[in-house]
Amino acid sequence: MSTTLEAAIFLSMNGKAKEAVDFYKKHLNAEERLLVTYEDMAKRDSSLQLTDENKHYISHSVLSIGKTKVMLAEDTMDGKETYTVGNNTSLCIQSADLEEIEHFYKSLTTDDRVRVIVPLSANVFSKAYGIIEDPFGIQIQLMYDERLQ
């Protein structure tokens, strides 16, 4: 395993991510490490549909609570699902080692009980990003992140 490998808790907040970020900062002394709005993302991805209601929504944020990273965004990992408590958490496995992320994805998808939600591929924020659901109903995001070096 690489020295950059980490796992983080990822919370989908159903339109309340900014409120949750502020709550955790106030009550848990969380440190805001990153905050990207839909408006910020639309500058990188013109296909994103902005409205007055969603432009300030959080596409992705990272907080530190002690030594633990907590990531928050508005939407569930599977856009076909309706938000419910239970499908609003996932595990985010990330590494600055692209081969490691590709290995994990290939290994996970050899198990026929694993459901692919988003196939591993490049996008506007990562050279490799994908989402699977394991046999136990846990959604796992896999992401190459060169900033971890």
Side-chain angles (χ1 to χ4, degrees):
M1 275 192 270
S2 74
T3 59
T4 65
L5 182 66
E6 67 178 26
I9 301 160
F10 193 99
L11 306 173
S12 301
M13 303 307 291
N14 197 31
K16 295 185 179 187
K18 177 66 175 134
E19 182 180 343
V21 165
D22 292 342
F23 179 87
Y24 297 138
K25 284 168 62 176
K26 178 179 179 179
H27 297 290
L28 299 176
N29 295 327
E31 177 187 332
E32 185 178 302
R33 300 180 67 143
L34 176 72
L35 193 136
V36 180
T37 65
Y38 282 23
E39 193 170 36
D40 297 330
M41 282 299 289
K43 293 173 186 170
R44 293 193 239 171
D45 181 358
S46 60
S47 70
L48 188 63
Q49 299 296 312
L50 283 182
T51 65
D52 284 338
E53 180 183 330
N54 77 5
K55 69 181 178 183
H56 298 295
Y57 275 9
I58 295 175
S59 170
H60 184 63
S61 64
V62 180
L63 302 176
S64 289
I65 301 174
K67 294 181 182 182
T68 302
K69 282 187 182 175
V70 177
M71 300 175 178
L72 295 97
E74 305 298 345
D75 300 317
T76 58
M77 293 299 97
D78 187 345
K80 296 176 231 150
E81 289 183 332
T82 302
Y83 175 94
T84 57
V85 173
N87 74 355
N88 63 325
T89 60
S90 65
L91 187 60
C92 184
I93 307 293
Q94 51 189 11
S95 175
D97 182 339
L98 181 60
E99 289 179 6
E100 185 168 49
I101 293 301
E102 291 170 338
H103 168 76
F104 288 154
Y105 181 80
K106 288 175 188 168
S107 179
L108 286 160
T109 56
T110 61
D111 188 313
D112 62 0
R113 300 172 299 161
V114 167
R115 180 172 72 98
V116 175
I117 298 170
V118 175
L120 189 72
S121 63
N123 61 26
V124 297
F125 59 85
S126 177
K127 289 181 184 176
Y129 177 78
I131 307 169
I132 62 96
E133 184 174 276
D134 74 13
F136 316 102
I138 304 301
Q139 294 174 351
I140 301 172
Q141 301 174 68
L142 298 163
M143 184 173 93
Y144 166 76
D145 189 343
E146 62 191 13
R147 297 171 298 177
L148 296 172
Q149 294 183 15

